[in-house]
Amino acid sequence: MASSTRNGETHEDEIRLWREDGWWVAEDVETGVTTQGETREDALANLDDAVSLHEGDVGREPTPEELRELGVDPADNETGDDEPPDVLD
């Protein structure tokens, strides 16, 4: 795990943020994942998304309850015997 020190204290989960060519660049030191954004907030939000993807924390199938909250009937969200589209292979 990456760490840095300041005033003798250890800081885990270090993020570096800097300006480069008019963009804000954010890097998660531990994973090496780097993103950018037009604002600091955008760069950090993009970094959160990218680290989640990197660590496999996103991309799961929604639960029936989550589908209902979005106004989707879970029964209509099944492929049944049909093959999924090629893009999902």
Side-chain angles (χ1 to χ4, degrees):
M1 182 178 291
S3 66
S4 64
T5 60
R6 183 174 184 187
N7 300 330
E9 297 177 27
T10 300
H11 301 275
E12 303 293 337
D13 302 322
E14 179 180 352
I15 293 174
R16 295 183 181 158
L17 185 66
W18 67 92
R19 294 268 302 163
E20 187 174 301
D21 298 326
W23 290 85
W24 282 97
V25 180
E27 175 189 19
D28 180 89
V29 175
E30 181 178 353
T31 62
V33 173
T34 304
T35 63
Q36 64 184 20
E38 291 182 354
T39 66
R40 293 166 53 134
E41 292 80 10
D42 289 344
L44 291 169
N46 292 340
L47 184 62
D48 282 343
D49 291 342
V51 169
S52 292
L53 284 168
H54 175 77
E55 294 179 347
D57 293 337
V58 295
R60 65 172 175 75
E61 207 172 300
T63 66
E65 198 171 276
E66 290 169 331
L67 289 172
R68 283 188 206 93
E69 287 175 9
L70 294 171
V72 176
D73 182 354
D76 293 338
N77 193 41
E78 297 179 2
T79 57
D81 294 332
D82 296 337
E83 289 292 321
D86 292 340
V87 297
L88 297 178
D89 286 336

